[in-house]
């Protein structure tokens, strides 16, 4: 069993209205030192692949096909065995 | 300037319908080896704090007050300087 921890972030050139809203809320709560907030996703995927190379290839394909939108998002992942 | 990278995850005892939906979609796409999917948030917060100890305290307070729901979510964060 492998566990992939995938982080999907908006590209830095893409506006992040959710991040701006959270920054506004933090300012309202008194956290005036906050300069910027960006929000992304973390996905944990457990998969039962034959070996690490296969698992890596499968996770890469999942990101391309479903988990990230390569037009506006970047992704990266780490793979652990036996998690 | 400090950058905090905060990961907010549902506690393992809490159902994750979004994760279940993504797992279903991955199966539909042919990724039969996927056993489980859990989805969380990644927040990047840039803040202009006096020093690292203050920044750490502020991020902790932000998580408690706004960024995570301690009833159903766990959070962790890493702090980098000058990012």
């Amino acid at each position: 069993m492998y566990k992939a921890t995938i982080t999907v972030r908006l590209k830095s050139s893409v506006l992040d209205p959710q991040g701006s809203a959270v920054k506004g809320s933090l300012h309202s709560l008194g956290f005036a030192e906050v300069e910027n907030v960006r929000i992304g996703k973390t996905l944990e995927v457990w998969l039962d692949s034959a070996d690490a190379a296969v698992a890596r290839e499968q996770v890469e394909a999942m990101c391309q096909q479903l988990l990230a939108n390569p037009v506006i998002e970047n992704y990266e992942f780490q793979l652990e065995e036996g998690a």
Side-chain angles (χ1 to χ4, degrees), chain A:
Chain A
M1 182 75 85
Y2 295 89
K3 179 186 166 191
T5 303
I6 305 162
T7 306
V8 180
R9 291 186 179 88
L10 282 173
K11 290 184 179 173
S12 55
S13 57
V14 177
L15 276 178
D16 180 358
Q18 198 190 357
S20 301
V22 168
K23 179 179 144 187
S25 299
L26 288 171
H27 284 179
S28 303
L29 286 171
F31 297 106
E33 61 285 343
V34 172
E35 300 275 331
N36 198 16
V37 178
R38 305 276 295 174
I39 298 183
K41 280 178 294 187
T42 299
L43 297 104
E44 294 169 301
V45 177
W46 287 263
L47 66 172
D48 197 12
S49 305
D51 62 49
V54 171
R56 197 167 287 280
E57 216 169 85
Q58 286 167 330
V59 173
E60 186 70 37
M62 289 176 207
C63 289
Q64 289 283 345
Q65 290 176 43
L66 182 76
L67 304 179
N69 175 353
V71 178
I72 56 165
E73 292 173 328
N74 291 320
Y75 60 87
E76 59 186 27
F77 64 88
Q78 278 151 8
L79 201 67
E80 294 166 65
E81 195 171 349

